[in-house]
Amino acid sequence: MKKTVSLLLAASFLAVAAPAAAQLPVSVELRLDAGIPTGDAADLVDTGVGFGVRASLDLAPTFALYGGYSQFSFDYDDDTVLGDEEVELEGFELGGRVGLGTGGGVANPYAMLGALFHEDETGLEAGLGADYAVSYNLSVTPEVRYRTIDDFNYISLGLGARFRF
C-alpha cells in the first residue's frame, strides 16, 4: 500500500513539475451549438440550441479518443399540432478524432466519427472542426457535425473552448 501511495505521489509531482510539452494528453471542452434539423425533422421542428462537454485523450499526435455529454432542445414548428412543445435530445457520445494537418499553421483541422447514446437509442455523428490555439492550454474549436438518432437528423454547428491539462 505504501509503495502504491509513494508511486502516485511521485507521478503527481512529475506531472506538475514537468515542462509544458510533457503535460498529460487530456483535454476538456465546453461547447455551445445550434441544431439545424434536416430531412423529415426539418418539417416538424425549428432550429434548436444545444450545449455539451467533452473530454479527449490524445493517443498519438494526430489521433484522440473522446467521450462526452450533450443536450439539444428543438421547438416544434408553429404549423404543427404540437406547436407549444419541444423535442429534447440528451445523452452521451463516444468516438475518435483524427488530425488532418501538420499542425504548423494557425488552425489544426480535424475529422471526427462517433456513436451517440441518447435515451435508449444509438446514433451516429460525423464532423469536421479546427483547433485555433489561444495559448498552449486553451484553444477555440469551431465545429460542424452531422448527427442522426432514430430517424431524427440534424446538423450541429457550434463553437467550443478546449482546455488542455
Side-chain angles (χ1 to χ4, degrees), residues 26-165:
V26 176
S27 62
V28 174
E29 181 178 358
L30 302 174
R31 300 201 52 77
L32 184 59
D33 298 293
I36 304 165
T38 62
D40 293 337
D43 297 333
L44 298 174
V45 296
D46 294 326
T47 298
V49 63
F51 68 91
V53 62
R54 181 187 307 153
S56 298
L57 174 64
D58 295 339
L59 299 179
T62 59
F63 181 73
L65 292 178
Y66 70 85
Y69 169 83
S70 65
Q71 179 178 346
F72 281 84
S73 179
F74 299 89
D75 289 330
Y76 277 103
D77 193 356
D78 290 334
D79 296 337
T80 65
V81 176
L82 302 170
D84 291 339
E85 296 188 30
E86 59 185 30
V87 175
E88 294 232 354
L89 298 173
E90 64 177 315
F92 299 94
E93 55 250 9
L94 182 64
R97 184 182 76 229
V98 176
L100 299 177
T102 61
V106 174
N108 296 320
Y110 59 85
M112 59 190 298
L113 181 64
L116 302 173
F117 305 99
H118 288 211
E119 301 172 7
D120 299 330
E121 299 292 335
T122 303
L124 178 71
E125 74 174 354
L128 294 171
D131 280 324
Y132 289 91
V134 176
S135 70
Y136 178 77
N137 293 335
L138 175 65
S139 61
V140 175
T141 57
E143 192 173 271
V144 60
R145 296 175 287 173
Y146 175 78
R147 303 178 107 198
T148 180
I149 303 166
D150 191 32
D151 296 330
F152 188 88
N153 308 318
Y154 63 101
I155 293 173
S156 169
L157 181 63
L159 189 64
R162 181 173 293 147
F163 303 95
R164 185 175 175 159
F165 295 99

